[in-house]
Amino acid sequence: MTSSSLKLVKWSFIFLVLNHNFQRIEGCFDSIISFGDSLADTGNKLHISLNKTPPSHFSLPPYGETFFHHPTGRFSDGRLVIDFIAESLGLPLVPAYLEGKDERNNVKFRQGVNFAVGGATALDSAYLLDKGIIPNNNVSLGTQMDWFKDMMTSFCKFPSG
């Protein structure tokens, strides 16, 4: 395992640790905002890789077969941990940010949004390239945070909101 994949594993693990007590707080939340990599990606990587030839492996069966009965962009044949968290909190499945990015006023995201992208890194790609590590995409936690800030401007009229 390379040092870059170790960092990726640690980052994904932090997401799971922060959410392990969700059953005790049921009913306290009305939305989920998710950041991460393939362990939480509900379709962002699929939207990034649309129109690729050949198509991405996770856009074809057997991905999605077990629960959704068709590929969903999840790196699984069924649901992800984020899907079970949403279900246990009585919330809808968290949509991928890039899936509804063009929707007016982000109505689709009122009960949650997922910024996670398969292969995302915690460190920016420029930093990794400087260290001789070639990331498999240009999406990092910083990119996901930029998407979040961009989306928040549509929810809040003023920066203090």
Side-chain angles (χ1 to χ4, degrees), residues 10-38:
K10 289 177 188 174
W11 183 43
S12 300
F13 180 71
I14 290 170
F15 171 80
L16 296 174
V17 169
L18 291 174
N19 288 295
H20 80 286
N21 289 323
F22 65 90
Q23 287 181 331
R24 285 186 259 163
I25 53 177
E26 187 173 344
C28 295
F29 298 98
D30 55 8
S31 67
I32 296 174
I33 298 174
S34 174
F35 302 89
D37 59 9
S38 60

Side-chain angles (χ1 to χ4, degrees), residues 3-158:
S3 64
S4 64
S5 59
L6 281 175
K7 290 174 187 168
L8 186 65
V9 169
K10 289 177 188 174
W11 183 43
S12 300
F13 180 71
I14 290 170
F15 171 80
L16 296 174
V17 169
L18 291 174
N19 288 295
H20 80 286
N21 289 323
F22 65 90
Q23 287 181 331
R24 285 186 259 163
I25 53 177
E26 187 173 344
C28 295
F29 298 98
D30 55 8
S31 67
I32 296 174
I33 298 174
S34 174
F35 302 89
D37 59 9
S38 60
L39 293 178
D41 184 357
T42 58
N44 285 314
K45 179 76 170 191
L46 179 64
H47 290 279
I48 289 172
S49 62
L50 285 177
N51 303 322
K52 264 185 141 181
T53 306
S56 302
H57 66 283
F58 54 88
S59 67
L60 305 168
Y63 290 86
E65 255 180 27
T66 302
F67 184 79
F68 299 99
H69 310 294
H70 65 281
T72 62
R74 288 166 170 78
F75 287 74
S76 169
D77 71 341
R79 293 178 286 177
L80 301 173
V81 171
I82 190 73
D83 297 322
F84 290 104
I85 292 170
E87 181 182 355
S88 71
L89 294 173
L91 296 171
L93 298 180
V94 186
Y97 172 67
L98 296 177
E99 176 184 315
K101 186 172 185 254
D102 296 328
E103 289 202 15
R104 190 177 190 145
N105 298 324
N106 291 318
V107 172
K108 184 174 194 157
F109 301 138
R110 293 283 178 201
Q111 288 191 290
V113 60
N114 192 338
F115 297 102
V117 176
T121 59
L123 301 171
D124 288 328
S125 57
Y127 176 84
L128 294 173
L129 288 170
D130 187 49
K131 300 293 182 190
I133 301 168
I134 301 171
N136 67 353
N137 67 43
N138 289 328
V139 178
S140 66
L141 179 57
T143 303
Q144 293 176 36
M145 294 302 294
D146 289 341
W147 290 346
F148 173 67
K149 290 175 194 170
D150 192 42
M151 188 199 81
M152 289 308 293
T153 59
S154 68
F155 284 126
C156 306
K157 287 185 178 183
F158 305 103

